[in-house]
Amino acid sequence: MIESGEKEKLMELLRERLVECGWKDEMKALCRAYIKKKGTNNVTVDDLVHVITPKGRASIPDSIKTELLLRIRAFLASAAL
Amino acid sequence: MSSKINHHHQNDKTNGQIFPQPCPHLADFHARNGTKPFRAIQDCLHIKPPGGRAAIRRDSSEVPRCGVCGDSSCPRLYACMACAAVSCHVPPHSSHVAIHATKTSSACSHEIAVDVDRAELFCCACRDQVYDRDFDAAVVLAHTTSIIQSSKPENLRKRRRIDYRPWSPDLRERSLMVNNASPIDSMSSSNGDLPRGLRGLNNLGNTCFMNSVLQALFHTPPLRNYFLSDRHNRYYCQSKNGVRLCLACDLDTMFSAIFCGDRMPYSPAKFLYSWWRHASNLASYEQQDAHEFFISMLDGIHEKVEKDQHKPRRNGDCCIAHRVFSGILRSDVMCMACGFTSTTFDPCVDFSLDLEPNQGSSMKTSSTKTNHSCNCEADGMNSSQNCGISTLMGCLDRFTRPERLGSDQKFFCQQCQVRQESLKQMSIRKLPLVSCFHIKRFEHSSVRKMSRKVDRYLQFPLSLDMAPYLSSSILRSRFGNRFFPFDGDESNTLNEPSSEFELFAVVTHTGKLDAGHYVTYLRLSNKWYKCDDAWITEVNENTVRAAQGYMMFYVQKMLYYKASEKQGTS
């Protein structure tokens, strides 16, 4: 799936959907809050990723999950033939 | 778990922007590799057109893999700046990129790497992202393939700013003032509840649309100051130009009447008649749209004044209406195929914002899972989106969000020479002194031959920071938070006027589309007053917050002074 470039397309689509529904803005706000709490000089990118990932994964709207799954399934079906 | 190296990146404030000091490894890299070590990376960058994201260029079939473990699925892969070896970095499990960094030879150090998908610098030894001006400049150069604007468009040239100098009248000026003015009766202000300048306006037959906007304009600080300091003297204007239609003269008459201290409601009949003559298509006793009246009035003031003084429409300096309300909008249209961006600047006197019907609904599922409580602060918190309430900042977010132009609206791309699908993004190049936000509550659909009103409640803040909607912020986020000079300006953020605004007037509409009523809430000395045609009453701030805002007026918190060409006038 990666080699055909389909993954890239799906990633772009996912990014677009997440921005549309405000998920990205929410994550940004969470990051800002965390950085404010910890102090700007005491946070690394890894820290942030570690903290944000579980919250991010949990807060993705179901509609987006469904859409992506359907697309992946459709691609696999077409690629298998 | 890898040990966390605490770097106190000192922040260096240059030109109002904050540049973090490089970590020792980055400084070392610079020392070893000459003055502009990152410029070569420009050729290796590929800008993905749809989002404009920068990434390391690779063949479409090439899949980057970690040199050590062969994994290609991890979220972050880094390519070493010295030898282009790709490694992965997955804390806390394994960090092959850190292992690679230890391969420091005398010739080059392998400590600095670049993220292959995001074109961000990473220091393997510090295990954190680092920032470098030179690198960011290279990324931005790779982005801007468009034709370089040779000269700044007319309307962007800045006027020299000067510092405030206090003034007090000398003897001659003092005698002039005493001889030509009469003291305001101080007794009337002691009748004490209402401050000066609050006077009801009689409804002359469905004219609440006009009364509401006029009340807001009477208390627009720059406009009020202009007329009350006799900058447009109606007697002088009439003697110079004869008795003719001049909306500014009529406005001057009304300012004198409103601020004279008389508490009886005033009937703006002469003004109404003048306005009818100016906007003859709207001359009737039917209810009109307040926003339409507002635009028509600004237009009327502009028209007459321009003829007088032959000032070109530059920087919005042509007339007081534009000096107060006019700003500049920037519109970027980016071709999805090649990334070529076409930019235009347009003046505007207000911001018309859409109230999307489905705003907030898609976030309802996540609201139970995040920690945000639904007792949102009224002043523009992003978290209020979780509660499903529309906010003014939400509308502004939507206004400045990149919008995909549909396949039926294909834009002609100069580089591709064909019509392509494109991405459009609006931002504010120059903020007006007074921002008027008009909420599009009245939908007229010519297709379905019907009009309807959107009653949805909109939350608006008392203080508003417009910084995130400025072109500088929007562009910065488009390029992924890089440091770079904006538009070739030497000007820095310190010289820019403040982007903070204060609410001073709200025009609300209640009722149906064809049978409704306009009311204005004014903020004077931190108290709120309801202006309902001829009736003025003091109200609680919460009443205003709960009202259905149709037009909101915000004024810049800090006003600045422009250098004038002539002595004595500005």
Side-chain angles (χ1 to χ4, degrees):
Chain A
M1 187 169 104
I2 297 174
E3 284 173 14
S4 65
E6 183 65 21
K7 185 181 177 195
E8 273 304 314
K9 287 199 210 130
L10 288 174
M11 289 288 277
E12 282 301 327
L13 176 69
L14 176 63
R15 282 193 191 105
E16 196 188 310
R17 291 275 179 269
L18 288 175
V19 168
E20 263 173 21
C21 76
W23 180 89
K24 187 171 173 193
D25 293 326
E26 207 187 69
M27 289 301 116
K28 240 191 199 168
L30 282 175
C31 287
R32 284 212 182 99
Y34 181 76
I35 293 173
K36 235 184 205 171
K37 199 172 71 174
K38 286 275 170 147
T40 43
N41 293 331
N42 303 333
V43 179
T44 66
V45 174
D46 292 337
D47 265 354
L48 275 178
V49 170
H50 193 65
V51 167
I52 291 295
T53 304
K55 293 192 186 160
R57 286 223 169 101
S59 66
I60 298 187
D62 288 335
S63 55
I64 296 184
K65 284 192 207 164
T66 320
E67 186 184 349
L68 265 291
L69 280 170
L70 282 172
R71 282 185 190 262
I72 294 173
R73 203 174 289 166
F75 173 80
L76 290 173
S78 66
L81 294 170
Chain B
M1 184 67 218
S2 57
S3 63
K4 208 178 296 186
I5 304 162
N6 251 337
H7 277 280
H8 283 275
H9 293 278
Q10 302 301 320
N11 286 344
D12 177 27
K13 227 181 172 156
T14 318
N15 281 352
Q17 271 188 317
I18 300 181
F19 299 118
Q21 292 283 58
C23 74
H25 314 103
L26 183 63
D28 189 45
F29 183 86
H30 260 275
R32 283 177 191 243
N33 292 314
T35 45
K36 295 201 193 275
F38 294 116
R39 285 302 156 105
I41 205 109
Q42 218 180 305
D43 299 324
C44 307
L45 291 175
H46 162 73
I47 312 295
K48 289 187 225 171
R53 285 156 58 89
I56 301 295
R57 183 185 293 179
R58 61 186 103 119
D59 287 333
S60 45
S61 56
E62 189 188 326
V63 174
R65 288 174 194 283
C66 174
V68 176
C69 60
D71 194 5
S72 66
S73 60
C74 40
R76 285 173 186 265
L77 287 168
Y78 295 97
C80 171
M81 288 294 290
C83 65
V86 177
S87 324
C88 65
H89 176 63
V90 193
H93 310 291
S94 59
S95 178
H96 297 138
V97 79
I99 297 170
H100 181 84
T102 56
K103 271 204 309 208
T104 309
S105 62
S106 56
C108 55
S109 72
H110 296 253
E111 282 154 349
I112 305 295
V114 63
D115 185 321
V116 299
D117 285 318
R118 293 169 190 81
E120 306 263 359
L121 279 183
F122 184 82
C123 173
C124 311
C126 302
R127 299 196 194 202
D128 195 8
Q129 236 174 315
V130 288
Y131 303 95
D132 183 76
R133 263 184 103 169
D134 193 49
F135 180 79
D136 287 345
V139 172
V140 171
L141 276 173
H143 265 282
T144 50
T145 53
S146 57
I147 302 157
I148 301 163
Q149 277 180 306
S150 49
S151 62
K152 268 206 268 188
E154 265 273 324
N155 56 3
L156 290 190
R157 275 190 226 125
K158 284 198 165 71
R159 288 245 285 188
R160 211 166 32 95
R161 302 256 156 81
I162 56 173
D163 289 328
Y164 171 69
R165 278 185 307 247
W167 166 88
S168 51
D170 61 23
L171 270 150
R172 188 188 74 97
E173 284 160 346
R174 203 180 281 274
S175 68
L176 259 174
M177 286 198 296
V178 166
N179 293 337
N180 296 307
S182 42
I184 294 175
D185 185 11
S186 55
M187 287 299 285
S188 62
S189 63
S190 73
N191 99 357
D193 27 4
L194 295 181
R196 185 170 292 283
L198 272 184
R199 196 174 170 187
L201 295 170
N202 283 321
N203 189 315
L204 306 171
N206 272 329
T207 59
C208 57
F209 69 93
M210 179 180 81
N211 290 345
S212 51
V213 172
L214 283 179
Q215 289 286 13
L217 292 178
F218 291 148
H219 295 275
T220 298
L223 204 64
R224 176 201 66 201
N225 295 346
Y226 179 84
F227 281 100
L228 287 184
S229 53
D230 209 25
R231 299 294 299 283
H232 186 103
N233 185 311
R234 58 187 179 274
Y235 305 110
Y236 179 71
C237 176
Q238 279 174 10
S239 71
K240 204 170 89 158
N241 305 309
V243 178
R244 60 172 177 80
L245 176 61
C246 176
L247 281 181
C249 285
D250 295 315
L251 203 55
D252 188 44
T253 315
M254 285 199 292
F255 266 102
S256 302
I258 295 298
F259 282 85
C260 71
D262 188 352
R263 294 296 175 191
M264 291 295 290
Y266 175 75
S267 293
K270 182 168 189 300
F271 177 80
L272 180 65
Y273 178 56
S274 298
W275 178 67
W276 274 350
R277 283 195 288 160
H278 167 72
S280 45
N281 56 321
L282 300 172
S284 77
Y285 274 112
E286 280 170 4
Q287 170 85 275
Q288 304 291 345
D289 179 32
H291 179 247
E292 216 175 331
F293 168 73
F294 173 66
I295 299 294
S296 143
M297 226 189 99
L298 292 186
D299 190 52
I301 297 174
H302 170 80
E303 229 179 65
K304 302 308 163 184
V305 176
E306 197 180 29
K307 285 202 192 113
D308 285 345
Q309 291 163 348
H310 307 286
K311 264 199 195 142
R313 171 91 153 254
R314 181 173 64 91
N315 265 0
D317 269 346
C318 43
C319 63
I320 182 61
H322 284 105
R323 230 181 295 160
V324 174
F325 288 104
S326 144
I328 299 174
L329 279 178
R330 176 185 170 128
S331 162
D332 292 311
V333 182
M334 182 161 47
C335 171
M336 303 275 278
C338 69
F340 172 77
T341 307
S342 141
T343 305
T344 48
F345 295 97
D346 292 303
C348 66
V349 292
D350 66 352
F351 302 103
S352 283
L353 305 172
D354 280 304
L355 250 189
E356 287 293 309
N358 61 348
Q359 190 167 359
S361 56
S362 54
M363 287 306 284
K364 284 223 179 91
T365 50
S366 52
S367 61
T368 49
K369 291 168 189 163
T370 62
N371 294 335
H372 298 286
S373 70
C374 266
N375 291 339
C376 335
E377 256 181 18
D379 283 312
M381 287 277 285
N382 262 348
S383 56
S384 62
Q385 270 189 325
N386 288 344
C387 310
I389 300 178
S390 304
T391 64
L392 182 64
M393 300 197 85
C395 289
L396 282 168
D397 276 334
R398 178 164 264 99
F399 182 71
T400 52
R401 197 165 276 177
E403 182 196 331
R404 183 167 280 177
L405 297 178
S407 46
D408 51 339
Q409 288 171 288
K410 280 190 185 163
F411 187 77
F412 184 80
C413 170
Q414 298 231 359
Q415 200 160 277
C416 303
Q417 291 290 311
V418 287
R419 286 195 174 273
Q420 297 280 18
E421 285 200 2
S422 33
L423 210 63
K424 176 172 160 183
Q425 189 169 32
M426 305 290 300
S427 54
I428 303 175
R429 172 64 178 90
K430 175 180 165 255
L431 285 168
L433 225 63
V434 175
S435 293
C436 169
F437 295 109
H438 163 237
I439 309 298
K440 293 191 204 164
R441 287 190 182 276
F442 301 115
E443 285 178 2
H444 303 280
S445 165
S446 51
V447 171
R448 280 176 279 171
K449 290 243 171 60
M450 63 144 193
S451 310
R452 68 181 188 103
K453 182 189 173 199
V454 181
D455 269 310
R456 207 143 179 269
Y457 171 69
L458 181 80
Q459 200 182 66
F460 48 89
L462 291 189
S463 296
L464 179 62
D465 187 0
M466 294 290 286
Y469 311 109
L470 291 175
S471 298
S472 46
S473 312
I474 299 282
L475 284 176
R476 204 170 285 144
S477 62
R478 192 189 295 165
F479 291 155
N481 256 329
R482 318 266 172 193
F483 308 122
F484 64 101
F486 173 64
D487 255 352
D489 277 354
E490 313 84 35
S491 73
N492 49 52
T493 44
L494 286 173
N495 268 349
E496 283 299 321
S498 148
S499 59
E500 286 175 30
F501 284 76
E502 283 286 314
L503 179 68
F504 67 91
V506 182
V507 173
T508 64
H509 183 270
T510 45
K512 297 201 296 260
L513 188 92
D514 45 356
H517 186 56
Y518 287 100
V519 162
T520 303
Y521 292 96
L522 291 175
R523 184 188 193 184
L524 295 167
S525 317
N526 245 346
K527 291 193 192 176
W528 284 96
Y529 298 91
K530 176 178 176 182
C531 304
D532 183 353
D533 284 333
W535 293 273
I536 312 241
T537 46
E538 187 182 339
V539 291
N540 191 289
E541 184 183 288
N542 292 325
T543 315
V544 183
R545 282 192 195 275
Q548 192 185 85
Y550 178 58
M551 287 167 77
M552 275 82 78
F553 291 81
Y554 288 80
V555 65
Q556 273 189 21
K557 250 181 174 154
M558 236 165 29
L559 300 176
Y560 57 93
Y561 297 87
K562 282 205 199 79
S564 64
E565 295 111 0
K566 294 190 287 181
Q567 257 299 337
T569 57
S570 64

